[in-house]
Amino acid sequence: MLLIYTLHGSGGTFALYSLLCRHAKVITIPNQHRTDEELTTYSRSTFHEKSFAAKTKRWLEHQTFRKNALLMLVLVGTCMVIGDGILTPAISVLSASGGIKVDHPHMSNGVVVLVAVVILVGLFSLQHYGTDRVGWLFAPIVLLWFLLIGGIGMLNIWKYDSSVLKAFSPVYIYRYFRRGGRDGWTSLGGIMLSITGTEALFADLAHFPVSAIQIAFTVVVFPCLLLAYSGQAAYLMNHQDHVVDAFYRSIPDSIYWPVFIVATAAAIVASQATISATFSIIKQALALGCFPRVKVVHTSKKFLGQIYIPDINWILMILCIAVTAGFKNQSQIGNAYGTAVVIVMLATTLLMTLIMILVWRCHWILVLIFTALSLVVECTYFSAVLFKVDQGGWVPLVIAAAFLVIMYVWHYGTVKRYEFEMHSKVSMAWILGLGPSLGLVRVPGIGLVYTELASGVPHIFSHFITNLPAIHSVVVFVCVKYLPVYTVPEEERFLVKRIGPKNFHMFRCVARYGYKDLHKKDENFEKKLFDSLFLFVRLEAMMEGCSDSDEYSLYGQQTLQSTDGLLNNNGNSTSSNQDLTMSSVDSIVPVKSPLHVNSTVMSSSQMSSHTETDELEFLNSCRDAGVVHILGNTVVRASRGSKFYKKIAIDYIYAFLRKICRENSVIFNVPHESLLNVGQIFYV
């Protein structure tokens, strides 16, 4: 039996791409800010101007074409991983179910397929419960599986033919290729399936230490696999007509059904791992603007990476059942799986080459040796799987092509929409010319204007105030931004800034998230937003005498305890709170000495306490009056002179994806009674 035991990690290609984006300006949506680099999780290194890494960095950043080519490589690898999420459950469950037919030879193949489909439907139907409650069973099941196949392999080697151990000599592979010719070469496509999972084992570095993975692979995985395959070879030396079902037929009769049960359980674990990896990598693509908006549910309060995406789950189930029922045998699915795995390997190797240069700063000779050796091995396997394209290898190519079109078109539309927002920002001169009332009636309340811009006033705001007669007394531009980091600490989540003079009562709040974080617009988020806003007002009043600038920033390095202390204090801040405040903004305000700072802050706080209290009371009264959420709905259309493929991509594919994906109001969980949509159209 062929059982894929792959324990995939969480989206290696996008994780590598995120790491590259931190060390080079290769991200295609330029919404980064210098304060993002000051996050504790935003690690990056600097290069010497004449170093090979600096030259490579400049080469990548110089042309947009190279950035897009890098993104395309990442998307191809991602789409192949999604294909793994479809093929792995199909081949694992179908091969495990095949054990029934071995014990009952007269059973039709349709019954085996039906059993596999039932298991798959049950597996996907239970995804919404998550793996938090049953995850502790996974490791014992996999360990028991490896020990069983290793023990059966040793038994078969001792029982049938111990001379198969000579196959460890490299001489035999040379003789095999010389004797087999082209057929021997194309058989490498099948051999690919015996090593799948070993490359993904190291993708679990986010969950386990390096030493744990190395020990597990060296002590358990690798020896047991060698024993299992050698034992099957020894069995086939005496039973050459059993080549199709060599694994199950080589199992002793006394333990046949226990092994069958463990094999089925291990197949479910392997399938669960790839399904979870697919959810994770789509979550990363969603955070980087490369996938349509879908519902993401966290299934565990303890583990950040355990998520469930309902729409993707049912799509995977339908495609997985279609592959299982369509091919009805594991050999063709295996050919498809081999094609997907080797392309993922190639994409990962090319990305790792850039990682070695830009992140690890390895010598170019070492990089060249690694790349050459890796590509020789992988291109050898790739050339073999090309012969299998017409025997099932076309399946992952078709699946990847479909997802690639979806992801690239969505990203293209997202980039164009962001560029439109950037180029049509409202100038501050125009805002200041309107006066504190903005040329409208300022009604009590707070208006939260959601925008993708992390700086500047969006065009949608000018569209709003020129078409409506009133605006709220306080306006806060809220930008929910994802950064190329794993997570953003809760205490560093918000970045607050004032827009214009104080009497305009306009602010900007940027909420920053990593690709593993979950943003949910709920009361807790809104409370933290207003807490950060009030804290900013207090800090601004305290710092008035320490800076010549009228602009201040707060990028939440305070703990919730210090935030509550400042909010509950009515101008009588303790010295400890003052020290914490100053240490949190000392990168913005020049500090001469702690003593000088404390005396300056104390005097400034006393002088501005009245104004500060008035503004805080004003903000509280506006919040009590009501909060309205203003969402922009920017529609993208292809211009009349556009080429036909651009019109198809924008007017049909992108428009269709926008129509079926989740609305921002649903993602932010905005109540309908406090929602205001403002629409506009622009042409690309």
Side-chain angles (χ1 to χ4, degrees):
M1 184 194 90
L2 177 64
L3 177 63
I4 305 301
Y5 62 92
T6 308
L7 299 177
H8 281 285
S10 55
T13 50
F14 261 110
L16 294 176
Y17 181 66
S18 299
L19 187 59
L20 287 174
C21 290
R22 297 205 298 268
H23 291 78
K25 297 178 181 179
V26 295
I27 194 167
T28 52
I29 303 179
N31 62 347
Q32 268 63 50
H33 191 266
R34 60 180 177 80
T35 55
D36 298 338
E37 301 176 6
E38 299 173 7
L39 292 171
T40 55
T41 54
Y42 199 106
S43 60
R44 58 175 299 177
S45 55
T46 57
F47 313 109
H48 190 274
E49 291 186 0
K50 296 183 179 180
S51 64
F52 183 67
K55 293 178 181 178
T56 305
K57 179 176 178 289
R58 288 193 296 269
W59 181 81
L60 276 176
E61 298 173 346
H62 183 63
Q63 291 185 1
T64 306
F65 170 78
R66 293 166 187 164
K67 298 179 184 179
N68 290 331
L70 179 62
L71 176 65
M72 185 63 70
L73 175 65
V74 173
L75 292 182
V76 169
T78 301
C79 294
M80 288 298 172
V81 172
I82 295 174
D84 286 353
I86 297 170
L87 296 172
T88 298
I91 189 173
S92 299
V93 175
L94 183 61
S95 57
S97 303
I100 302 176
K101 189 177 179 179
V102 173
D103 193 65
H104 298 80
H106 301 294
M107 181 181 295
S108 66
N109 193 49
V111 176
V112 176
V113 173
L114 181 61
V115 171
V117 169
V118 170
I119 295 175
L120 290 173
V121 171
L123 175 64
F124 283 100
S125 299
L126 296 175
Q127 288 300 310
H128 66 282
Y129 291 108
T131 58
D132 196 18
R133 297 180 180 179
V134 296
W136 62 274
L137 286 172
F138 289 178
I141 289 174
V142 174
L143 178 61
L144 180 60
W145 163 250
F146 279 123
L147 293 178
L148 280 175
I149 63 175
I152 294 171
M154 291 178 61
L155 176 64
N156 289 331
I157 292 172
W158 171 78
K159 183 177 181 181
Y160 294 107
D161 191 351
S162 61
S163 64
V164 295
L165 297 177
K166 295 179 180 179
F168 289 103
S169 173
V171 175
Y172 287 93
I173 188 65
Y174 168 74
R175 295 177 180 175
Y176 175 76
F177 285 138
R178 188 181 63 178
R179 182 176 66 253
R182 178 178 173 178
D183 293 337
W185 186 266
T186 56
S187 66
L188 288 176
I191 296 174
M192 270 293 301
L193 298 176
S194 66
I195 64 172
T196 54
T198 56
E199 87 289 345
L201 192 66
F202 288 88
D204 280 324
L205 290 176
H207 306 283
F208 303 101
V210 176
S211 57
I213 294 178
Q214 291 175 336
I215 292 173
F217 179 77
T218 306
V219 177
V220 179
V221 178
F222 190 55
C224 290
L225 286 178
L226 289 179
L227 289 172
Y229 289 122
S230 299
Q232 292 179 43
Y235 176 82
L236 289 174
M237 294 291 289
N238 296 325
H239 305 84
Q240 297 184 12
D241 55 331
H242 293 171
V243 66
V244 176
D245 302 308
F247 173 77
Y248 273 127
R249 291 185 179 276
S250 64
I251 299 174
D253 295 337
S254 58
I255 60 171
Y256 181 85
W257 287 109
V259 172
F260 172 80
I261 294 173
V262 174
T264 305
I268 293 175
V269 171
S271 303
Q272 177 61 54
T274 54
I275 294 170
S276 299
T278 304
F279 292 159
S280 180
I281 201 169
I282 288 178
K283 172 67 168 59
Q284 295 180 31
L286 177 66
L288 295 176
C290 296
F291 203 85
R293 296 184 298 269
V294 291
K295 182 179 181 180
V296 179
V297 180
H298 271 235
T299 59
S300 173
K301 295 181 180 180
K302 297 180 181 179
F303 302 101
L304 190 64
Q306 292 187 10
I307 60 175
Y308 166 66
I309 304 178
D311 300 333
I312 301 301
N313 180 69
W314 304 124
I315 292 174
L316 291 179
M317 186 188 75
I318 293 172
L319 293 177
C320 189
I321 292 175
V323 169
T324 304
F327 285 114
K328 299 181 181 180
N329 67 84
Q330 61 193 43
S331 61
Q332 289 184 317
I333 302 178
N335 294 333
Y337 190 82
T339 304
V341 168
V342 73
I343 294 178
V344 172
M345 285 182 172
L346 286 170
T348 305
T349 296
L350 296 177
L351 291 173
M352 277 301 303
T353 301
L354 295 175
I355 293 293
M356 294 178 69
I357 297 173
L358 297 177
V359 182
W360 299 344
R361 286 183 283 183
C362 301
H363 196 277
W364 67 269
I365 296 179
L366 182 61
V367 176
L368 183 62
I369 293 173
F370 165 80
T371 306
L373 292 178
S374 299
L375 290 180
V376 165
V377 176
E378 291 163 7
C379 289
T380 300
Y381 283 114
F382 183 67
S383 64
V385 299
L386 287 178
F387 292 101
K388 305 284 187 177
V389 171
D390 60 337
Q391 302 174 28
W394 56 271
V395 174
L397 300 179
V398 173
I399 295 173
F403 277 97
L404 182 62
V405 170
I406 292 172
M407 296 176 73
Y408 187 79
V409 169
W410 181 265
H411 181 75
Y412 177 79
T414 302
V415 170
K416 290 302 179 182
R417 194 173 69 249
Y418 185 82
E419 290 177 351
F420 168 77
E421 296 283 356
M422 283 291 295
H423 295 146
S424 60
K425 288 191 298 186
V426 179
S427 67
M428 282 305 302
W430 185 76
I431 295 290
L432 295 175
L434 296 176
S437 66
L438 299 176
L440 303 170
V441 178
R442 302 295 291 266
V443 297
I446 297 180
L448 299 181
V449 182
Y450 292 86
T451 175
E452 295 182 1
L453 294 180
S455 62
V457 179
H459 180 265
I460 200 74
F461 182 69
S462 65
H463 186 67
F464 175 78
I465 64 177
T466 53
N467 287 275
L468 293 177
I471 190 67
H472 300 88
S473 299
V474 178
V475 177
V476 182
F477 296 97
V478 181
C479 173
V480 178
K481 182 173 69 170
Y482 285 89
L483 302 178
V485 295
Y486 179 78
T487 183
V488 175
E490 192 71 29
E491 63 272 12
E492 302 179 55
R493 179 82 67 211
F494 294 97
L495 175 69
V496 182
K497 197 170 186 179
R498 186 184 292 276
I499 299 178
K502 286 187 177 181
N503 57 353
F504 278 58
H505 301 297
M506 296 173 62
F507 303 89
R508 176 185 299 109
C509 180
V510 180
R512 302 173 294 183
Y513 293 84
Y515 54 79
K516 275 292 184 181
D517 294 329
L518 176 67
H519 164 61
K520 183 178 181 181
K521 178 64 187 67
D522 52 14
E523 294 180 359
N524 189 38
F525 174 82
E526 189 172 300
K527 179 182 180 298
K528 291 179 181 178
L529 188 152
F530 284 123
D531 285 350
S532 300
L533 180 61
F534 295 155
L535 179 59
F536 166 78
V537 172
R538 298 188 67 84
L539 291 175
E540 184 185 44
M542 295 169 62
M543 301 301 298
E544 279 183 341
C546 302
S547 176
D548 296 330
S549 174
D550 291 329
E551 296 183 356
Y552 302 87
S553 294
L554 165 68
Y555 40 94
Q557 294 181 2
Q558 292 80 11
T559 61
L560 293 177
Q561 182 178 0
S562 64
T563 302
D564 295 337
L566 282 169
L567 291 175
N568 296 329
N569 194 319
N570 293 322
N572 298 320
S573 302
T574 62
S575 59
S576 60
N577 276 342
Q578 292 166 10
D579 294 339
L580 177 59
T581 301
M582 287 310 303
S583 66
S584 300
V585 296
D586 58 4
S587 61
I588 301 173
V589 180
V591 179
K592 295 182 180 179
S593 67
L595 181 61
H596 173 76
V597 168
N598 286 334
S599 62
T600 303
V601 172
M602 183 65 71
S603 61
S604 300
S605 178
Q606 292 173 352
M607 289 186 297
S608 60
S609 61
H610 181 70
T611 305
E612 166 200 333
T613 304
D614 289 344
E615 186 167 16
L616 288 176
E617 291 179 354
F618 177 74
L619 290 174
N620 272 314
S621 63
C622 289
R623 182 171 66 168
D624 294 337
V627 178
V628 175
H629 305 266
I630 304 172
L631 298 179
N633 185 17
T634 304
V635 180
V636 185
R637 290 285 185 268
S639 58
R640 291 185 178 181
S642 301
K643 296 182 179 179
F644 75 95
Y645 56 84
K646 186 176 182 180
K647 290 184 179 180
I648 294 175
I650 297 297
D651 292 344
Y652 294 96
I653 301 177
Y654 183 74
F656 175 74
L657 293 175
R658 287 265 298 184
K659 184 177 181 180
I660 64 174
C661 74
R662 306 188 85 212
E663 296 289 341
N664 281 327
S665 59
V666 178
I667 294 177
F668 296 151
N669 197 22
V670 176
H672 288 287
E673 59 271 14
S674 61
L675 172 64
L676 181 61
N677 273 307
V678 182
Q680 62 179 351
I681 300 176
F682 81 94
Y683 295 89
V684 295

